[in-house]
Amino acid sequence: MLSFARIRTQQRSNRSLSLGGVNLFSFCSYYTCYFVVYIYLVNLTTIYILLAGMDYTDPKKKSNILGKILMAAILTALCILMLKQSPNFNTPSEFSSHEPGVTHVLVTGGAGYIGSHAALRLLKDSYRVTIVDNLSRGNLGAIKVLQQLFPGPGRLQFIHADLGDAKMVHNIFSENAFDAVMHFAAVAYVGESTLDPLKYYHNITSNTLLVLEAMAAHGVQTLIYSSTCATYGEPEQMPITEDTAQAPINPYGKAKKMTEDIILDFHKNSDKAVMILRYFNVIGSDPEGRLGEAPRPELREHGRISGACFDAARGIIPGLKVRGTDYKTPDGTCIRDYIDVTDLVDAHVKALERAEPGKVGIYNVGTGKGRSVKEFVEACKKATGVPMRVDYLPRRSGDYAEVYSDPAKIKNELNWTAKFTNLQESLQTAWRWQKAHLNGYGTTPQVMSA
């Protein structure tokens, strides 16, 4: 029996062909073994008949025949032992076949901040989950937490793989029976996208194209796509509705907009259920302290403002850098809509529940209220209880002055509304995880006060 709370690494050399969920090379090798057993058994029977019907006067010749019988017996035993120990011929994996009443969701980027929280929610709601992540931005520690929480067979599997590899992607789809895809995997820093735009177009747009091709080839009918408010750019009017014109101003937003267009064109000639969620600035962490945000140290410069606040509070950086104080806003700093990650994953699950074949749903996911960066900094100071130095610097390329949502559509159609709307409380929840995990997921959790 396979272990289903497992880590698998896809290797092209021995996973490029499959047959009914069984690796074709293994399939051939084991049937070759069956054939060998068959031939030796036939020879063994023939030799036995000959020995029984003949009287050999030459002891040496008789000894040779007995040696062949012994060799046949040994090879037969070895082949039988190998066949019995082979996982390919034991009970098939629950992940490789559809099961009535069970929805199997592929969560791409499920080792990342948002993806891991979404996987946690799906598992709590009794979905079957396969996470695919190349760990370039995600954390294996988050996967281990999920595996410890949901160790039962057929609940969770992790596949270490890169969605930029077409053969690998199709192998994953051929070896697993997915009912839906929740697609989070993406590089997602506005500043980094302006410095390395090709990385963003490749990682976001090209990789999603491969996922769509695999969905089409293997009959996966439902897609929940993680998009962004960055596709809107800097609209003239607030709040942003789903009908607001999309005019992204940075490569991150442009790559997401291109991907949305591809998805919509793909949908026109299919009966697939598609939900596109454009969400705003994500903060917070699991209220029970099991998961949190742990970005790569080298990416702190491009990361979320909440991460920078916590780094300043912990003394990892000398102070907090606020980029831009001359925007056309009441206090001169950018205004954003901060959505708690728990609310965000709830929106994804509701979208999955309400997805309908042949239809597309596009929704903004936010609180409907904008907060300035200066307001955010003050809330962070109160949440951490740490006075921190704040340096005000020139604007960052690719940023926009004011962005917040009108969440009326998602409320009316999916019955979703943000519940964790107290900025300071969301930051306090995230701060508790940060203090208990001073080295991210590499730290043994410590019980610490708020």
Side-chain angles (χ1 to χ4, degrees):
M1 176 68 70
L2 291 172
S3 171
F4 296 116
R6 64 192 181 190
I7 297 176
R8 292 203 287 128
T9 301
Q10 294 284 354
Q11 299 292 339
R12 273 192 267 177
S13 60
N14 64 355
R15 302 188 70 88
S16 57
L17 293 174
S18 63
L19 180 64
V22 177
N23 183 275
L24 190 55
F25 294 118
S26 298
F27 179 88
C28 292
S29 65
Y30 288 115
Y31 271 92
T32 300
C33 188
Y34 268 128
F35 180 72
V36 170
V37 171
Y38 173 77
I39 294 298
Y40 270 104
L41 287 176
V42 170
N43 288 337
L44 185 61
T45 303
T46 303
I47 292 169
Y48 177 80
I49 292 171
L50 288 172
L51 281 173
M54 298 178 66
D55 183 18
Y56 282 91
T57 57
D58 186 350
K60 189 174 182 180
K61 193 170 185 180
K62 189 170 184 177
S63 176
N64 288 338
I65 293 175
L66 290 172
K68 290 181 179 179
I69 293 174
L70 180 61
M71 180 61 70
I74 292 171
L75 287 172
T76 299
L78 287 173
C79 282
I80 291 172
L81 181 64
M82 184 169 67
L83 287 167
K84 287 181 71 175
Q85 291 183 343
S86 167
N88 291 311
F89 288 89
N90 286 339
T91 305
S93 162
E94 284 97 330
F95 297 92
S96 64
S97 59
H98 295 284
E99 182 178 335
V102 177
T103 302
H104 183 184
V105 183
L106 167 61
V107 180
T108 71
Y113 169 45
I114 300 170
S116 62
H117 282 77
L120 174 61
R121 170 61 188 274
L122 290 168
L123 289 162
K124 285 174 61 179
D125 289 358
S126 298
Y127 287 87
R128 176 171 292 157
V129 174
T130 292
I131 291 174
V132 172
D133 200 301
N134 66 4
L135 300 179
S136 64
R137 299 290 167 93
N139 291 280
L140 187 57
I143 299 298
K144 292 179 178 178
V145 169
L146 295 172
Q147 289 173 330
Q148 291 167 0
L149 291 170
F150 302 95
R155 297 305 315 282
L156 169 67
Q157 69 170 338
F158 170 57
I159 301 174
H160 182 200
D162 194 325
L163 295 180
D165 187 319
K167 289 183 180 179
M168 195 174 282
V169 171
H170 281 278
N171 283 347
I172 291 168
F173 275 79
S174 67
E175 294 174 5
N176 294 277
F178 299 125
D179 298 296
V181 175
M182 200 169 277
H183 186 29
F184 293 99
V187 286
Y189 295 128
V190 168
E192 184 188 35
S193 78
T194 63
L195 298 174
D196 193 356
L198 295 184
K199 174 190 286 187
Y200 276 67
Y201 293 121
H202 176 80
N203 179 273
I204 294 173
T205 309
S206 298
N207 287 7
T208 303
L209 183 58
L210 295 179
V211 171
L212 293 174
E213 289 173 344
M215 287 181 66
H218 298 280
V220 181
Q221 293 299 106
T222 302
L223 173 66
I224 313 300
Y225 182 60
S226 167
S227 192
T228 172
C229 65
T231 63
Y232 293 114
E234 193 168 12
E236 294 182 0
Q237 293 185 340
M238 289 291 135
I240 294 172
T241 72
E242 289 78 2
D243 294 325
T244 298
Q246 290 177 286
I249 63 173
N250 54 61
Y252 171 58
K254 291 176 183 178
K256 286 285 190 178
K257 170 66 166 59
M258 289 180 188
T259 304
E260 285 192 18
D261 291 341
I262 291 170
I263 291 171
L264 295 175
D265 285 341
F266 166 68
H267 181 267
K268 289 177 182 178
N269 297 315
S270 79
D271 61 349
K272 298 197 183 303
V274 172
M275 293 291 210
I276 296 173
L277 302 184
R278 298 170 183 159
Y279 49 83
F280 290 68
N281 291 63
V282 188
I283 59 171
S285 64
D286 169 45
E288 296 183 41
R290 294 162 294 187
L291 298 171
E293 183 178 13
R296 294 279 187 272
E298 65 271 18
L299 295 171
R300 283 193 171 104
E301 181 72 15
H302 302 296
R304 306 176 200 277
I305 186 174
S306 57
C309 280
F310 297 146
D311 285 347
R314 289 170 54 189
I316 294 174
I317 56 177
L320 185 62
K321 298 176 181 179
V322 174
R323 299 184 181 277
T325 59
D326 58 346
Y327 290 99
K328 293 181 180 180
T329 59
D331 65 17
T333 61
C334 295
I335 290 177
R336 297 289 182 266
D337 189 340
Y338 296 99
I339 175 77
D340 192 286
V341 68
T342 301
D343 283 329
L344 179 60
V345 299
D346 182 56
H348 281 78
V349 173
K350 280 188 167 58
L352 177 60
E353 293 171 346
R354 301 293 184 89
E356 296 183 34
K359 294 186 178 181
V360 175
I362 300 176
Y363 302 98
N364 290 336
V365 186
T367 66
K369 183 177 181 179
R371 304 288 186 88
S372 75
V373 172
K374 283 186 177 179
E375 286 181 276
F376 187 97
V377 171
E378 290 306 310
C380 190
K381 287 180 179 179
K382 292 177 182 178
T384 62
V386 178
M388 61 188 75
R389 193 182 82 192
V390 181
D391 296 324
Y392 294 96
L393 304 175
R395 295 185 185 189
R396 180 177 61 179
S397 175
D399 273 340
Y400 24 79
E402 186 178 26
V403 173
Y404 63 94
S405 70
D406 177 353
K409 182 180 179 183
I410 192 170
K411 180 179 180 180
N412 294 335
E413 296 186 11
L414 302 188
N415 193 31
W416 177 90
T417 187
K419 299 175 182 177
F420 298 88
T421 57
N422 186 303
L423 185 59
Q424 184 176 326
E425 289 180 1
S426 290
L427 291 172
Q428 283 175 330
T429 301
W431 177 237
R432 282 195 295 270
W433 189 89
Q434 291 288 326
K435 288 198 300 178
H437 299 78
L438 297 178
N439 190 32
Y441 284 100
T443 302
T444 302
Q446 303 293 323
V447 177
M448 303 187 74
S449 63

